[in-house]
Amino acid sequence: EFLGYYQIISSVLNEPVQAEIDKFIIKHDPDMPPLTQKPSKQTNALETVYTRLRNEITHVRRMPGTGHPIDISKTKAEISEHVRGLRRLAKIAIESLM
């Protein structure tokens, strides 16, 4: 469900880079948790909770400083907390087409 809503937003926005999806999310979700640092050594880029969770599900992400994979059960629990917000954002994206 979560990934489906993320894909709807991406599709409505013509599949831009994740930073553009995050701009849409930030614009339409003022109550969203703070942005978090991407776990990349090449960039200091930030990402929304929705993009972080999407990436944790679709890619192996490691805990900083340990090299151990992030606990997927924690990611799934956090997705449950945020799926409603992403559903609302997907509806906003769809409505923007009308």
Side-chain angles (χ1 to χ4, degrees), residues 5-82:
Y5 294 138
Y6 196 95
Q7 181 60 35
I8 288 168
I9 295 167
S10 177
S11 181
V12 168
L13 298 177
N14 294 316
E15 298 187 17
V17 295
Q18 286 181 351
E20 292 300 315
I21 295 170
D22 279 350
K23 284 181 186 177
F24 171 86
I25 291 169
I26 291 165
K27 179 179 178 181
H28 296 286
D29 191 354
D31 298 323
M32 182 186 63
L35 301 177
T36 55
Q37 181 81 33
K38 280 188 174 184
S40 173
K41 294 178 180 130
Q42 293 92 1
T43 181
N44 288 332
L46 299 173
E47 61 191 352
T48 65
V49 66
Y50 304 111
T51 294
R52 178 180 57 78
L53 292 170
R54 178 247 179 231
N55 288 334
E56 287 179 10
I57 284 293
T58 59
H59 306 290
V60 175
R61 282 207 163 171
R62 309 245 176 233
M63 292 173 38
T66 69
H68 298 292
I70 289 175
D71 183 351
I72 199 73
S73 64
K74 289 181 181 177
T75 299
K76 288 180 180 181
E78 197 173 353
I79 283 173
S80 293
E81 294 174 23
H82 294 288

